[in-house]
Structure formats: structure tokens, C-alpha cells
Amino acid sequence: AFIATAIAGAIILATGYTRADGLAALLVAALMFRSAYGLLKESGRVFLEAAPRGLNPEEIGRRMAGQAGVTEVHDLHIWEVTSGFPALSAHVLVGRDTDCHATRRALERMLHDDFHIEHTTLQVDHRGAELLDIEVR
């Protein structure tokens, strides 16, 4: 903006062409619009909790489901807490004899190392776990 104003000022002083100031203002406005558009687009992705650019939720879900002991991954949600800080939450089912805590740690490590997702919330349950039957007396 300063450069455009300085050039416009020099043109006005040298030639008397006063419209140079208006043209410089249009140039500055166009630059500001371009910057604002990019900022609004990125902040919109954060506010709408869209999947971060470069992260494919289907691919991540398949990779998670392909880990040893994992039988199902659902309620997978990937979003950006703030620009450049992706987060993930999911419900993961593992086999009856699988160590759910070790599986959660392995999933978190894979998500961090392969997809650079540092903030994860994983609910890991055993598949086919019996429901507790409560009697009211």
C-alpha cells in the first residue's frame, strides 16, 4: 500500500495526473480483498469444523480400521481446532481378546506419525461386549 501510494504521489507531482491516486487506491483495495478472501475461507473451514485441507477422512478411517485388533471405526470426525491444529475423535471397536488400551496408544501413534494429528479422542470398546442388565427392586 505504501509503495502504491508513493508511486501515485510521484506520478501526480511529475505529471499532474491526479487519477493516479484513485488507481493506487483500487490496487490496494484489490490486494486487501485477496488477502481477506483467503483469511475468510480458512476461518470458515475452522468455524464449520470441516476436515482440514490435506486430510482425507475416508483414508484415515480405513487406516485406523486396518490396525491389528480393530474390527470397526465409526463416528469418525476430523476438524481443525484452529488453523494448522487438526483434531480427531472416533469410536473404535476391538476384538474381545484385544488389549483396548494398547490399541488406543497404537492408533494415536499412527495418527500422529502418519497424519500429524496430535489431538485425538478415541473411545475404544470391545466388540460384542455384554450389556449390563439392571433390575429395579
Side-chain angles (χ1 to χ4, degrees):
F2 172 74
I3 293 171
T5 316
I7 291 172
I11 290 173
I12 292 170
L13 287 175
T15 66
Y17 183 67
T18 57
R19 291 186 183 200
D21 185 43
L23 292 173
L26 286 175
L27 176 67
V28 170
L31 290 172
M32 291 173 64
F33 178 76
R34 182 173 177 246
S35 297
Y37 175 76
L39 182 61
L40 287 173
K41 188 175 175 183
E42 288 303 313
S43 63
R45 292 183 65 79
V46 171
F47 288 133
L48 295 173
E49 295 185 353
R53 189 179 324 277
L55 292 180
N56 183 341
E58 288 183 28
E59 176 189 352
I60 293 171
R62 281 194 298 273
R63 289 282 304 279
M64 290 175 68
Q67 294 293 308
V70 176
T71 61
E72 183 180 332
V73 175
H74 59 272
D75 293 334
L76 175 64
H77 183 63
I78 306 169
W79 72 100
E80 282 185 300
V81 176
T82 185
S83 184
F85 187 69
L88 176 144
S89 66
H91 187 200
V92 179
L93 296 178
V94 297
R96 188 176 278 277
D97 297 327
T98 302
D99 181 352
C100 60
H101 301 292
T103 302
R104 179 187 49 77
R105 286 189 297 273
L107 286 169
E108 288 174 344
R109 190 170 34 259
M110 181 269 298
L111 291 167
H112 178 269
D113 294 346
D114 297 350
F115 299 102
H116 309 291
I117 300 174
E118 295 184 27
H119 182 77
T120 59
T121 304
L122 300 174
Q123 178 183 345
V124 182
D125 293 316
H126 292 277
R127 178 175 268 301
E130 298 297 322
L131 295 176
L132 182 62
D133 197 15
I134 300 175
E135 290 183 26
V136 179
R137 292 183 187 203

